[in-house]
Amino acid sequence: MAYQAIIQQIYEKIKAEDNIGQAASYIPQLTAVDTNLFGIHLVTKNHQEYGIGDRYVKFSIQSIAKCLSLCVAYKLLGSQIWKRVGVEPSGTAFNSLTQLELDKGIPRNPFINGGAMVVADMLVSAFRHPEEEFLSFIREINGDNDISYNEHIVQSEKEIGYRNIAICNFIKSYGNLENHPERVLDFYFRICSIEMTCQELANTFLFLADDNFRNSKGEAVLNMSQAKRINALMQTCGFYDESGEFSFTVGLPGKSGVGGGIIAIFPDKYSIAVWSPKLNEKGNSYRGMRFLEQFTTQTESSIF
Ligand code: GLN
């Protein structure tokens, strides 16, 4: 497959079009980013790498990190985690409060903010040093010690985090948090503040495309059945109330973040990271969605 030529051709086409949307402004620190940056990186199961543009520039992966914290909790605690967080698409925005009330504090899935907070709570209970353990998990996957939290983003989110604070307290009021909401939020914001380049992101998620993937310690990250379930959740819930649209137009499991990043997985073949900071009204990268739609069309690499 001529991945490089296809990536280049679609990249140039999209770059020549209007860059529509807005960078996320509710997190002040995210508006400091140049909204014309645009990068793509693909890595195949056989470790062939392809890409273009600003793929070596670090950006805030935000909600994409929710997949990784979920994997840690799933690996550690097994299927009991599904008692405290659901596996159904929400059909609502990532920070919706109304649904949480209807669901009595059991978030609909682990990728909406409330769900990721419950997962963060599980890790705060399970680890003595959750921040260090979580980072080690990621670094062991791609052997890259350069991946870290961004303290400015953490502070920026804390300062304006009124809605997230409300969500977290709301869940606590239903008894679905073991730890103090402040501790959980602190870890949650830190998880969201992880920075990676497109190259690091694609390599970090390769384990979801390759059943034989081993981390730097020679261990499987998840077993096959667990990886299948994470991919299934990404397919059905990875883009909030635009998950149906992503499935429909791109046809791969994926996850977006308000930093403008998207990771998508073609099981058994490749993982691909796209980054462009301007978001559509649903909070997903405008160019990222467009790129992936054209890419899976031209390469005929949708799972459907
Ligand atoms: N940190 C962001 C928040 O809590 C994550 C949202 C996202 O990336 N969709 O609002």
Side-chain angles (χ1 to χ4, degrees):
M1 179 67 72
Y3 286 133
Q4 187 62 34
I6 296 172
I7 288 172
Q8 189 157 343
Q9 183 242 318
I10 302 172
Y11 169 86
E12 273 156 19
K13 181 165 168 267
I14 292 180
K15 228 173 144 134
E17 295 169 4
D18 281 349
N19 187 11
I20 297 171
Q22 302 272 313
S25 57
Y26 76 100
I27 303 175
Q29 194 73 24
L30 286 184
T31 53
V33 179
D34 176 354
T35 53
N36 284 318
L37 295 173
F38 184 24
I40 294 128
H41 194 91
L42 179 148
V43 52
T44 67
K45 202 175 140 180
N46 307 325
H47 300 275
Q48 301 293 311
E49 309 210 9
Y50 308 90
I52 199 162
D54 304 298
R55 57 183 163 144
Y56 305 120
V57 179
K58 294 256 190 203
F59 64 95
S60 189
I61 71 166
Q62 289 292 322
S63 280
I64 298 173
K66 293 171 179 172
C67 293
L68 300 170
S69 50
L70 176 66
C71 290
V72 180
Y74 198 16
K75 186 181 176 72
L76 207 67
L77 306 167
S79 353
Q80 55 166 325
I81 66 171
W82 310 123
K83 290 187 195 137
R84 292 179 55 196
V85 61
V87 295
E88 292 297 336
S90 68
T92 56
F94 57 84
N95 53 9
S96 164
L97 271 154
T98 42
Q99 191 170 63
L100 208 47
E101 175 146 52
L102 295 171
D103 293 343
K104 301 198 166 38
I106 310 281
R108 195 63 67 95
N109 68 62
F111 297 150
I112 52 175
N113 289 7
M117 287 173 199
V118 170
V119 171
D121 179 64
M122 293 173 188
L123 298 184
V124 169
S125 293
F127 290 126
R128 187 188 280 255
H129 302 293
E131 284 78 6
E132 285 85 352
E133 303 275 357
F134 180 57
L135 219 45
S136 304
F137 172 84
I138 298 174
R139 289 174 175 174
E140 278 161 15
I141 292 178
N142 60 22
D144 183 347
N145 285 331
D146 193 32
I147 291 170
S148 266
Y149 304 112
N150 179 326
E151 288 306 320
H152 299 293
I153 299 275
V154 176
Q155 288 316 318
S156 195
E157 279 228 65
K158 273 190 184 171
E159 277 159 26
I160 49 78
Y162 304 110
R163 183 171 271 268
N164 279 326
I165 294 166
I167 292 172
C168 202
N169 280 285
F170 207 36
I171 298 172
K172 181 74 178 174
S173 77
Y174 281 104
N176 194 15
L177 284 190
E178 291 173 356
N179 301 281
H180 194 284
E182 230 171 90
R183 175 67 186 100
V184 175
L185 276 171
D186 191 81
F187 185 39
Y188 168 79
F189 288 141
R190 217 152 243 123
I191 291 170
C192 293
S193 82
I194 296 255
E195 290 187 322
M196 290 192 199
T197 66
C198 288
Q199 184 192 34
E200 288 167 336
L201 193 57
N203 277 284
T204 301
F205 276 80
L206 191 59
F207 71 95
L208 289 174
D210 178 7
D211 293 336
N212 297 316
F213 185 94
R214 294 290 176 269
N215 68 12
S216 62
K217 289 160 117 185
E219 297 164 352
V221 179
L222 294 177
N223 65 38
M224 268 171 72
S225 151
Q226 289 171 328
K228 175 188 79 178
R229 292 184 200 287
I230 300 292
N231 274 321
L233 280 168
M234 288 169 78
Q235 185 76 48
T236 52
C237 312
F239 293 77
Y240 318 110
D241 44 343
E242 205 170 31
S243 297
E245 179 76 17
F246 190 80
S247 233
F248 188 71
T249 56
V250 177
L252 293 178
K255 183 77 199 80
S256 64
V258 289
I262 297 179
I263 184 76
I265 312 293
F266 188 18
D268 227 27
K269 287 268 188 322
Y270 65 71
S271 64
I272 183 166
V274 184
W275 173 52
S276 168
K278 284 197 178 178
L279 310 177
N280 65 21
E281 66 287 354
K282 305 277 188 184
N284 300 313
S285 170
Y286 170 75
R287 281 185 158 169
M289 298 274 286
R290 277 186 72 70
F291 179 89
L292 287 168
E293 175 182 7
Q294 293 178 37
F295 183 74
T296 53
T297 304
Q298 286 201 31
T299 55
E300 297 179 357
S301 53
S302 156
I303 63 167
F304 298 109

